[in-house]
Each structure stands twice: as C-alpha cells, then as structure tokens.
Amino acid sequence: MSVSTSVTVRRMVAAALAAGAMVGSATVSASAAEPRAERTHVAISRVQADAPGFNDRSSRSLNAEWVEITNSARRGVNLNGWTLSDKDGNRYTFRHYTLAGRSTVRIHTGFGRDTNRDLFQDRRNEVWDNHSDVATLKNDHGRFVDSVSWGRGHGDNRGHGDNRGHGDNRGHGDNHGGGHHGH
C-alpha cells in the first residue's frame, strides 16, 4: 500500500468517526429534551379469568382464577405498592415483594400461602369477569404499566399495543363452561 493511499484511508476513517460522533451527540441531546417514558420489563403475561369447572367460590375454584406477571429483565423489580385491578375497581396491592429477573409470578384470587412464584389476594369472591374485563397493572406511583382486556367490546387488546392471546380460546381468560362471575 502506498503512503498516499494509507493517508487517504486514515482520513476517510477519521471523517466517518467524526460524523458518527456528531450523530451520536445529536441523538443524545434530542432524547434529553424529550420527557422520558417509564421503561419497565414487567408485563401481564397470562390471564385465567374463568376457573376450569364449576365456579362455586371454593378455595380450589378461586385459586384457579389468576393473572400472571412476568419480568423479562435480568434484574429483579421491587413491586411493593404496585397494583393489579379489574374494571370494577377491585384492586390487589403488592406488599414486600420483588419479582426476580426473568421470572413470573401468578396472583391467585383466593387464599393461600405466598411464595416467590404464587401470591394470593385472599378474596372470598371471584374478581375477573369470565366474559369481559380488563386487568390493569400500575406501579407504586399509580402510573400505567400494562393491561389486558378480553370479551365483549374489548377484543384481545393489550395496553401497550401487542396481542398475546388473552381471552382468545387458548385457555387464558376464555370461558371453560363454568358459571359467570355476575359482574
């Protein structure tokens, strides 16, 4: 390689690096001016609104009604003060619970002993309407994190725009032939 070619290549590389640095600084300053949307890797991943079998308000029936929340990040997320609610205002508040990284917790409606993988609302009545409802997750500041809706007038909607099959005849929130919750 000749000296003139080597100098030309170095100049081109230097120009490309300088251009990249300018684009990078423009991107940083533009994003710094915009309000930051809260980023979380926590989302409602599955819903079983209708417990299989007969809805008789037994412990077995109430605990077969649940919502799963998944943390897709590597690090755990402290859910203390976060809430999970339905369209009628029934609300479960997380207390002293950290959802480990890359894990899922199932929140059952009925009574039970809380573990890392299962939490219990300790309710004596169903929460999630079999036919039409909305599960909404908010953080400890009351800010929207995620929601899943199913049934009449809702279709299969996720609060953040994707569709993961909740209430769609795959066993997540569909009607398995049990009674309805009377909502």
Side-chain angles (χ1 to χ4, degrees), residues 78-81 92-99 114 116 119:
N78 182 353
L79 299 184
N80 189 41
Y92 170 76
T93 302
F94 292 83
R95 299 284 179 221
H96 310 291
Y97 182 78
T98 297
L99 181 55
D114 291 344
N116 288 337
L119 298 174

Side-chain angles (χ1 to χ4, degrees), residues 1-108:
M1 176 184 293
S2 71
V3 174
S4 64
T5 306
S6 175
V7 170
T8 304
V9 169
R10 274 192 258 148
R11 285 182 183 161
M12 289 173 45
V13 169
L17 290 173
M22 289 175 60
V23 169
S25 66
T27 303
V28 170
S29 62
S31 64
E34 297 173 5
R36 290 186 180 191
E38 182 168 342
R39 292 183 185 156
T40 181
H41 296 280
V42 177
I44 298 171
S45 50
R46 288 179 56 192
V47 173
Q48 171 113 346
D50 185 7
F54 184 70
N55 291 336
D56 59 3
R57 295 186 183 161
S58 68
S59 180
R60 171 184 264 173
S61 176
L62 291 171
N63 287 331
E65 177 183 276
W66 45 258
V67 174
E68 285 185 345
I69 297 176
T70 299
N71 176 9
S72 61
R74 287 188 300 196
R75 291 190 172 160
V77 175
N78 182 353
L79 299 184
N80 189 41
W82 287 41
T83 59
L84 178 65
S85 61
D86 72 345
K87 70 179 180 185
D88 293 330
N90 293 304
R91 182 180 3 231
Y92 170 76
T93 302
F94 292 83
R95 299 284 179 221
H96 310 291
Y97 182 78
T98 297
L99 181 55
R102 295 190 174 136
S103 64
T104 298
V105 64
R106 185 175 281 186
I107 298 91
H108 303 269

